[in-house]
Amino acid sequence: MEIEGGTGPHTPRAAKLRVVLGTLLVHADRVVSVDSLVAELWRDEPPRTATATVHVYVSQLRKLLHAADPDRGRELLRTQSPGYRLCVPPDRLDLSEFERLHRRGREALAAGRHRAAADLQRRALALRRGPLLSDTPHGPLLEGAAARLAEAGVAALDQRIRADLELGRHHELIAELRSLAAEHPLREELHGHLILALYRAGRQAEALEAFAELRRTLVAELAIEPAPPLQRLHRRILAGDPGLLRTAAGGGRAAAVAVRPGHERAMPPADPVFAGRGTALAQVEELLRDAPAGSFVAVAGQPGVGKTAFALEAARRSDPSFPDGRLFLDLHPERGRPLRATEAMSTLLRRRGVRPAKGAGAGELRAAWQAQLAGRQLLLVLDNADSEAQLRPLLPTTGGSSAIVTARRLPAGLGGIRPVLLDTLDPEEARLLFAAAAGPEREAAEPAAVRELLELCGRLPLAVRVAAAQLTARPHWKVACLVDRLRDERYRLGELRIGELDVREPLLRAYRDARPELRQAFRLLGLLPAGRFDRATAAAVLGRSPAETARLLDGLLDDRLLATDRTGHHLPELLRVLAVERLTEEEDPQDIGDAIERLCAEHARAAERVTAALTHARPTGEEPHEPAGWFTREREALVRAVRQAHRAGRPAAVVRLVAALDGHLETHAAWDAWAETHALALDAARRGGDRGAEARTLRSLGDLAWQQRRPEEAGEYYGLARRVAEETGHRAELSRALVGLAELRMDAGDGADADALLASAHATALADDSGPADPRARFDVLRALGLHALAAGDHARAHARFTDCLDLARTLHDRRLESFAHRALRTARPGPGDHLEVRPGVWRLPAPGRRAEPAG
């Protein structure tokens, strides 16, 4: 520490005097209290004479300043309550000059002026002679100042090296960087510069070894991995990325692009993990290349789909077509306050070096802005557009310049729009993004878990990035651990958040921006399962007419809260999760129950239509097939609807839908779904007091147990169904329950009991005092009688019963039963073969000397 003056340098000899002078200097032109000086000198143990001693030190300093500058040295140190103030002009104090040069160097680097940045930081560093006041004892104030200056010194060094690297000085930097890396073994940015310099110098192996050495140090010392930027640099070196070799001096599109004077490159930095979107990027490049005057590209998509990153990447790829530069402007930088058109034009003009006239109106600003675009080839990236009124004056109206606009809603009212709609990523693109963000080793170690993770994230770029960031921040987590946390959709959106990255926030903002009627429609659509749905299903759950439903769906599509393709509409996965969340939070339970009841009714009608198509649509003797695989496609949605109706306390809806599904469940041997839906239907029938439905459901559960070879359970269900049907006089279900019991006796080899039960069933099916006999129940009796005769070896009698079945099936116009009857008649001839169809689509395989068993 020296004071330079006209009489030469002067250095205080006493340590405590140097403490006072140093404290005043690092707080130059600011008042330092006497108490602070006491604490700096003696910390927590000041002598009784501390204040007086401080006054003595100050007096001695004034003498020292006077000796250095006899004219005005004493005036520099002033008494000012509650202490003293050292008035030193900034240009006379090395610390102030360092801070000034460092700040200017930082600004030059940010502006891409690498030569100026390197020079300014080099001059700033030349003013440092080592640690701050290394020859002076430090109290609290000096310790803090020394730490700040040390950090600023390393930052200046880092920025000088960055600028030198961009200037192509990597060869000269290697020796210095090796020394710095050894001096600062945990300073990752310095190691990163060394790795890059080695790679650019053609020493790839040494660059990889430098990374490996840093990683070993970090793992050994701190048990952490290198930060994501270093890991990405490592991957790019392994891949031989040519972009790493380009510098501002070498030209080309790379880490730092050389900017020609007068050519604007005001763009955010490149996204280091951008992946995929090749087809859409090529489309934008083509649209911009062939853009007529006044046209622009509008990029739209759901929240979190990566519109901004995509637009920036498209702008970079289109750079050669716009030699006059690119400009980026966020039109909605603050939540809830989009820029007005006049604010946006003023900002763009200033970025082009034009200061708008004070008080200039919208017309003047527009004229000035369009004058900037005229005759130039400039590309604008206008992000987060809010309205057509905001955009209209900003868009180029002459040839040469164009724009990429991002918005959730397409500004379709503007002329010249060329839309590009972004969907969620395809599986391979999502995998590439995850590997770029989390590291390829994660994907390679747990490929199956990564695939499930990406689906749970809906392959939404924002969600994939958040998941990758969570795994990077927690290297001890396996991918499967995060998958376990995301499986429960009640908590999924809450889990997809880290730091400032929050998936729920943009989804929720898009939802809240929608009109109230669209918000309610969005919530109610959350009742539907993941996957496509048609307009009829939407109309049912919304409780609207087809025309009203079409209008609401179009509104949701415009707001990017819904997606569509040729197979139908669907809520993208994380928007569906949000809809379920908002439904629970905001919708009235009565309205939810009504919507579920309407949904069940629509499903029941669909099931009944399919049943009718199956029974009436095929030629005689041909096996009917389910229209377009309806049940296979809809099974999950149907079971979900039964669960929802039961949970909402809508027993009638449960009973009707399950009754409509009965035959489909049996035809497809959907045993798990059959068991679950009928258990819920049985409870609903009992709660609703529907004894007929109770008997029907018990009998169906008996059929299920019989097909699954659980005769005791089947007997219990048939017995309960028989009792309820007898109590309620429901003869059709009584007849079918008796047939079930008879078939159990036949399987057990008890022909006498089976005869008695079938006789009773036959009489019951024929003699229904309450109305016409149920033909379906009668068919079951005739079928069972035919099988019983066949088992007894009475082929003539069996043939007669199956002929009666065929006649009844024709009366019913039921092609499925008719096909069964034809097959049964062939079986009833002598030599029936080894296979026996006991019910439509259900077979049993008899073996010599053994009782036959049903096989579904």
Side-chain angles (χ1 to χ4, degrees):
M1 178 170 51
E2 292 180 345
I3 302 173
E4 294 188 357
T7 59
H10 298 263
T11 303
R13 294 182 180 179
K16 291 197 180 299
L17 194 58
R18 291 199 302 273
V19 171
V20 175
L21 178 58
T23 304
L24 292 169
L25 282 170
V26 298
H27 296 85
D29 212 31
R30 288 178 288 169
V31 176
V32 180
S33 69
V34 172
D35 289 343
S36 295
L37 290 170
V38 169
E40 196 68 20
L41 288 161
W42 294 286
R43 292 189 178 264
D44 297 329
E45 299 179 356
R48 287 182 300 169
T49 59
T51 302
T53 304
V54 168
H55 294 325
V56 171
Y57 290 150
V58 169
S59 178
Q60 292 175 0
L61 283 177
R62 284 196 173 111
K63 292 178 182 178
L64 192 64
L65 292 167
H66 175 72
D69 185 355
D71 293 332
R72 53 192 188 88
R74 284 183 178 274
E75 299 174 4
L76 295 177
L77 183 52
R78 301 175 185 176
T79 302
Q80 186 172 335
S81 180
Y84 302 95
R85 179 182 178 188
L86 185 59
C87 302
V88 182
D91 60 349
R92 300 288 301 277
L93 185 63
D94 287 352
L95 177 60
S96 299
E97 183 67 2
F98 167 82
E99 291 173 340
R100 184 183 70 84
L101 291 169
H102 177 38
R103 182 181 65 255
R104 288 180 57 199
R106 184 172 61 245
E107 292 169 352
L109 184 64
R113 295 184 288 111
H114 302 106
R115 197 172 301 279
D119 180 62
L120 288 164
Q121 298 294 7
R122 191 171 282 107
R123 288 164 55 194
L125 291 165
L127 294 171
R128 298 185 71 239
R129 304 177 189 177
L132 178 71
L133 303 175
S134 57
D135 61 344
T136 302
H138 288 187
L141 294 177
L142 288 181
E143 280 182 355
R148 287 194 301 275
L149 183 60
E151 193 63 34
V154 175
L157 181 63
D158 171 69
Q159 290 163 27
R160 193 222 84 208
I161 293 169
R162 288 178 189 271
D164 281 341
L165 282 169
E166 291 298 327
L167 292 169
R169 297 170 178 165
H170 37 273
H171 287 285
E172 302 96 303
L173 286 169
I174 290 174
E176 179 189 7
L177 286 168
R178 284 200 185 278
S179 176
L180 289 169
E183 183 182 349
H184 302 281
L186 301 180
R187 281 274 184 179
E188 294 184 60
E189 67 273 23
L190 295 176
H191 288 267
H193 297 328
L194 172 61
I195 293 166
L196 181 57
L198 287 166
Y199 181 71
R200 285 182 174 172
R203 295 154 70 173
Q204 181 178 3
E206 292 178 64
L208 294 173
E209 177 54 34
F211 176 85
E213 178 61 29
L214 170 64
R215 183 181 181 277
R216 284 193 292 268
T217 301
L218 291 174
V219 171
E221 296 288 334
L222 303 175
I224 62 172
E225 294 285 338
L230 268 175
Q231 294 188 34
R232 287 193 290 272
L233 175 61
H234 181 238
R235 292 195 295 272
R236 292 178 71 185
I237 290 173
L238 287 171
D241 187 347
L244 290 176
L245 298 174
R246 301 181 187 131
T247 65
R253 185 174 67 84
V257 180
V259 181
R260 292 172 288 165
H263 289 249
E264 181 64 65
R265 289 292 185 272
M267 298 286 285
D271 182 351
V273 299
F274 185 87
R277 305 291 194 195
T279 301
L281 286 168
Q283 180 186 2
V284 173
E285 286 187 77
E286 183 179 353
L287 291 174
L288 290 173
R289 189 168 49 248
D290 303 330
S295 67
F296 67 100
V297 173
V299 179
Q302 73 173 88
V305 82
K307 297 182 288 293
T308 302
F310 174 83
L312 291 172
E313 183 65 21
R316 289 188 183 89
R317 294 190 180 206
S318 301
D319 191 47
S321 301
F322 298 94
D324 290 309
R326 301 166 297 168
L327 277 172
F328 174 88
L329 182 62
D330 186 350
L331 295 175
H332 205 147
E334 298 178 23
R335 189 180 305 173
R337 201 191 81 79
L339 291 181
R340 298 190 300 273
T342 52
E343 293 176 307
M345 286 187 288
S346 296
T347 301
L348 290 169
L349 284 167
R350 284 194 295 272
R351 291 187 181 176
R352 292 292 295 173
V354 177
R355 186 174 295 279
K358 190 174 182 179
E364 295 171 285
L365 289 170
R366 184 170 189 176
W369 172 237
Q370 292 299 329
Q372 281 293 307
L373 297 174
R376 292 186 172 89
Q377 292 175 289
L378 187 70
L379 178 62
L380 308 179
V381 179
L382 302 173
D383 195 29
N384 292 317
D386 183 72
S387 66
E388 294 172 8
Q390 178 196 48
L391 271 178
R392 187 174 284 106
L394 308 180
L395 296 170
T397 57
T398 56
S401 295
S402 191
I404 301 175
V405 175
T406 74
R408 201 168 63 246
R409 303 177 184 88
L410 282 172
L414 295 176
I417 182 172
R418 296 181 155 203
V420 174
L421 299 180
L422 291 186
D423 201 350
T424 53
L425 299 170
D426 66 35
E428 177 60 15
E429 289 177 327
R431 187 191 67 78
L432 289 173
L433 176 59
F434 177 83
E441 62 280 358
R442 285 280 196 179
E443 196 273 337
E446 300 175 82
V450 168
R451 286 194 295 272
E452 184 176 358
L453 174 68
L454 297 176
E455 293 305 316
L456 290 171
C457 290
R459 302 198 303 275
L460 185 70
L462 176 60
V464 174
R465 288 169 181 263
V466 170
Q470 288 180 324
L471 292 167
T472 301
R474 302 176 177 94
H476 58 285
W477 273 19
K478 288 186 175 293
V479 177
C481 174
L482 183 56
V483 167
D484 286 341
R485 298 169 74 100
L486 296 181
R487 280 195 182 113
D488 191 334
E489 64 183 39
R490 293 173 299 173
Y491 308 112
R492 191 181 306 169
L493 291 178
E495 291 286 350
L496 286 172
R497 183 175 70 178
I498 185 169
E500 295 182 355
L501 293 174
D502 184 356
V503 172
R504 178 191 275 111
E505 193 273 332
L507 302 183
L508 191 58
R509 186 167 65 245
Y511 163 75
R512 287 175 174 162
D513 284 347
R515 301 193 310 272
E517 63 174 354
L518 293 179
R519 291 201 298 270
Q520 185 187 42
F522 176 75
R523 292 193 298 268
L524 290 175
L525 290 175
L527 289 169
L528 302 177
R532 270 58 176 174
F533 57 85
D534 57 23
R535 193 164 290 182
T537 303
V541 78
L542 298 179
R544 301 294 188 105
S545 69
E548 290 174 317
T549 298
R551 181 175 56 81
L552 290 171
L553 295 180
D554 286 343
L556 291 172
L557 286 167
D558 291 341
D559 285 350
R560 307 300 159 204
L561 294 172
L562 185 68
T564 190
D565 57 28
R566 60 184 180 82
T567 63
H569 298 294
H570 72 280
L571 288 173
E573 176 60 13
L574 294 183
L575 281 169
R576 183 190 64 78
V577 173
L578 179 72
V580 173
E581 178 186 278
R582 292 298 92 205
L583 181 78
T584 304
E585 292 289 330
E586 300 180 34
E587 200 67 32
D588 183 85
Q590 178 66 34
D591 292 340
I592 295 174
D594 291 346
I596 290 170
E597 193 154 347
R598 293 192 300 270
L599 179 62
C600 287
E602 173 59 27
H603 282 321
R605 285 191 292 270
E608 289 157 1
R609 287 194 297 269
V610 172
T611 300
L614 285 169
T615 56
H616 299 141
R618 300 292 171 180
T620 299
E622 182 181 333
E623 181 65 26
H625 297 286
E626 181 184 275
W630 174 83
F631 182 80
T632 302
R633 186 177 63 252
E634 298 293 330
R635 178 162 74 176
E636 182 182 340
L638 297 166
V639 174
R640 176 188 170 104
V642 173
R643 291 192 201 112
Q644 289 172 320
H646 186 268
R647 193 162 49 243
R650 302 295 173 117
V654 174
V655 165
R656 179 184 174 185
L657 179 53
V658 172
L661 296 178
D662 214 348
H664 299 285
L665 293 164
E666 181 174 5
T667 300
H668 288 80
W671 289 349
D672 290 343
W674 189 348
E676 181 182 358
T677 56
H678 281 65
L680 295 175
L682 181 60
D683 181 70
R686 287 170 173 168
R687 288 174 182 268
D690 189 339
R691 302 300 303 283
E694 182 181 357
R696 182 178 64 248
T697 307
L698 286 166
R699 187 264 311 154
S700 183
L701 286 168
D703 291 344
L704 172 62
W706 178 78
Q707 289 198 31
Q708 291 182 302
R709 302 182 181 89
R710 292 183 278 115
E712 291 185 6
E713 184 179 336
E716 291 178 10
Y717 279 125
Y718 287 141
L720 289 170
R722 176 183 185 178
R723 189 181 70 193
V724 173
E726 286 173 341
E727 291 173 357
T728 58
H730 198 298
R731 290 186 175 272
E733 283 305 327
L734 175 57
S735 172
R736 298 183 75 179
L738 290 169
V739 167
L741 290 169
E743 288 183 306
L744 286 173
R745 301 318 304 155
M746 283 192 282
D747 290 341
D750 191 341
D753 276 359
D755 276 336
L757 288 165
L758 287 173
S760 179
H762 195 205
T764 303
L766 291 173
D768 189 348
D769 297 337
S770 61
D774 185 315
R776 183 65 175 81
R778 188 177 170 214
F779 182 94
D780 272 348
V781 174
L782 292 169
R783 172 190 59 78
L785 287 169
L787 290 170
H788 189 42
L790 197 61
D794 190 343
H795 294 283
R797 187 173 165 213
H799 191 276
R801 293 304 188 188
F802 291 144
T803 300
D804 292 340
C805 283
L806 179 60
D807 293 340
L808 188 54
R810 286 171 174 166
T811 302
L812 290 169
H813 304 290
D814 191 322
R815 300 303 185 193
R816 182 167 179 262
L817 296 183
E818 191 175 341
S819 296
F820 168 80
H822 279 290
R823 291 191 296 273
L825 283 169
R826 288 195 295 270
T827 306
R829 299 187 184 100
D834 294 331
H835 295 76
L836 184 63
E837 188 178 9
V838 293
R839 295 186 184 184
V842 181
W843 302 76
R844 67 179 177 185
L845 313 175
R850 294 185 57 189
R851 177 170 45 89
E853 292 186 352

